């Protein structure tokens, strides 16, 4: 019996030696592991580090996981939009993720120029913008950042002439299709006279692909009134931006801009009706409100085939307010409700879909079907006070090894 046990151990040891000594076989096994595991395994030995850190492996890993399953966010970063990135909070959303990586580069870059902001998350990558004010205008430069690897790439300067105005940057990243990610820059063209800017009605979309040294002018269009291009959402093969009355869609393949109508605006005195616009699990959601502090609203979803918005969930926060009365704030204008929407999260089943909210001192998951709520995180006093109302920016986090700068893939 003892000899049989020893023999089995020798067989296992021999098999391990074969696998660890065969680079191709080891690579095939590692390709099927999640990014968070590979980041740890890269510290095992020099061979594993060499395999996992290679450009070829990182791109192949991203594509392998994309074809096997859709990328699922494992957490959310959120912070007060009015304070840049001085106090970034994070919230893991899966049981196998206990904490999110700190935004090390962004915390340092927050002191550059007039500050840095995250404007979009896309399948594990963050689009960030550094703003610097000059005597003539405000310069905005883009940065693509991978928090899992703490790698960043400063995008080329898109300004051809100093009087151009950049309104925003966006990120298109589909792991299953080359060139893996594109950066977009949306700017308004115009001229200056005696130090004053006179903009035309023409906006230009420029495209940057990793490995290039400059932007490529793509297309021009005249946007509808009230559009905002500072934060786009990647969904269904393109970038979507919203305004109060219209939306704009940039198709990644055709590189054309299409203008769409927004759903009818809810009646009410609030001028800014859009309270939330985001994607989760292949679903694009929109929340419009009658007033900034409305406790009753609908969650709309856009159909991929018909391009029509329909009501997916009807929300009434009466039960939530009853359970957490600290949400109610009495003002000279009447009762106001102190909450911010972080995300609409679609579960594997409808009963698992929740609305993630911040309320004073807490992060709460409100079940959109069962109408129940539970606290998922307590917030420190000073943090909770700054996240009460509609000044919260929230961005998904997903582990990814995708490189953001050196895109020279050498043959094996």
């Amino acid at each position: 019996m003892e000899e049989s046990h020893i023999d089995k151990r020798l067989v296992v040891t021999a098999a391990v030696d074969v696998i660890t000594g065969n680079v191709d076989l080891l690579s095939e096994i590692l390709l099927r592991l999640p990014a968070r595991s590979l980041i740890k395994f890269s510290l095992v030995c020099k061979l594993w580090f060499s395999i996992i850190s290679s450009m070829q492996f990182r791109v192949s890993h991203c594509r392998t996981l994309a074809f096997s399953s859709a990328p699922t966010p494992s957490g959310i970063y959120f912070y007060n939009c009015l304070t840049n990135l001085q106090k970034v909070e994070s919230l893991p959303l899966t049981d196998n993720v206990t904490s999110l990586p700190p935004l090390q580069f962004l915390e340092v870059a927050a002191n550059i120029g007039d500050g840095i902001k995250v404007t979009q998350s896309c399948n594990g990558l963050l689009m960030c913008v550094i703003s610097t004010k000059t005597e003539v205008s405000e310069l905005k430069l883009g940065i693509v950042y991978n928090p899992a690897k703490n790698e960043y790439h400063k995008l080329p300067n898109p300004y051809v002439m100093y009087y151009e105005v950049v309104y925003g940057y966006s990120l298109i990243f589909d792991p299953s299709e080359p060139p893996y990610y594109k950066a977009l820059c949306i700017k308004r063209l115009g001229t200056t006279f005696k130090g004053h800017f006179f903009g035309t009605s023409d906006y230009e979309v420029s495209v940057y692909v990793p490995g290039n040294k400059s932007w490529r002018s793509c297309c021009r269009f005249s946007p509808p009134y009230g559009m905002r291009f500072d934060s786009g959402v990647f969904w269904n093969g393109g970038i979507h931006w919203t305004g109060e009355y219209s939306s704009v869609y940039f198709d990644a393949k055709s590189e054309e801009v299409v203008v769409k109508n927004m759903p009818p605006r809810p009646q009410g005195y609030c001028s800014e009706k859009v309270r939330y616009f985001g994607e989760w699990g292949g679903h694009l959601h929109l929340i419009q409100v009658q007033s900034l502090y409305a406790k009753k609203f609908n969650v709309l979803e856009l159909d991929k085939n018909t391009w029509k918005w329909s009501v997916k969930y009807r929300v009434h926060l009466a039960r939530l307010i009853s359970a957490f009365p600290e949400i109610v704030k009495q003002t000279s204008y009447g009762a106001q409700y102190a909450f911010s929407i972080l995300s609409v999260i679609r579960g594997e089943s409808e009963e698992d879909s929740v609305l993630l909210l911040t309320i004073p001192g807490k992060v709460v998951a409100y079940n959109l079907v069962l109408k129940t709520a539970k606290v998922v995180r307590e917030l420190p006093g000073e943090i909770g006070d700054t996240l009460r109302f509609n000044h919260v920016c929230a961005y998904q986090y997903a582990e990814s090894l995708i490189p953001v700068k050196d895109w020279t893939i050498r043959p094996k």
Side-chain angles (χ1 to χ4, degrees), residues 81-210:
C81 311
L82 305 180
T83 60
N84 289 319
L85 288 170
Q86 280 116 14
K87 294 182 179 180
V88 181
E89 297 298 313
S90 61
L91 178 69
L93 296 176
T94 57
D95 294 336
N96 54 5
V97 176
T98 57
S99 63
L100 305 191
L103 304 181
Q104 299 176 14
F105 162 71
L106 297 184
E107 292 170 358
V108 175
N111 299 318
I112 299 176
D114 296 305
I116 183 170
K117 289 181 179 293
V118 179
T119 61
Q120 183 197 356
S121 58
C122 187
N123 292 326
L125 300 182
L126 300 179
M127 174 59 78
C128 313
V129 177
I130 289 181
S131 299
T132 304
K133 293 182 179 179
T134 68
E135 295 180 358
V136 178
S137 63
E138 180 183 31
L139 299 180
K140 295 181 178 180
L141 301 177
I143 296 175
V144 179
Y145 180 54
N146 184 338
K149 295 290 292 179
N150 192 33
E151 294 178 350
Y152 69 92
H153 178 50
K154 294 182 179 179
L155 301 177
N157 187 335
Y159 294 88
V160 178
M161 300 180 181
Y162 69 89
Y163 49 74
E164 295 173 329
V165 177
V166 170
Y167 282 100
Y169 294 87
S170 289
L171 195 61
I172 293 176
F173 174 35
D174 186 345
S176 64
E177 296 185 14
Y180 309 107
Y181 86 76
K182 292 181 180 179
L184 304 182
C185 175
I186 299 87
K187 59 184 178 182
R188 186 182 183 185
L189 308 179
T191 59
T192 56
F193 180 72
K194 295 184 177 180
H196 298 283
F197 174 78
F198 296 91
T200 68
S201 59
D202 289 336
Y203 281 47
E204 181 181 83
V205 179
S206 298
V207 176
Y208 169 80
V209 178

Side-chain angles (χ1 to χ4, degrees), residues 5-62:
H5 182 66
I6 294 175
D7 291 341
K8 289 182 180 179
R9 283 196 302 172
L10 291 174
V11 170
V12 172
T13 302
V16 171
D17 290 339
V18 170
I19 294 174
T20 55
N22 188 316
V23 175
D24 292 336
L25 182 58
L26 179 59
S27 298
E28 285 299 317
I29 295 174
L30 294 175
L31 278 175
R32 287 153 179 79
L33 299 179
R36 60 182 174 275
S37 299
L38 294 175
I39 292 173
K40 296 178 181 179
F41 291 164
S42 64
L43 304 177
V44 170
C45 63
K46 291 182 179 181
L47 175 61
W48 286 38
F49 175 81
S50 176
I51 294 173
I52 296 171
S53 62
S54 71
M55 185 67 58
Q56 186 76 49
F57 178 87
R58 291 170 65 177
V59 173
S60 297
H61 176 265
C62 194

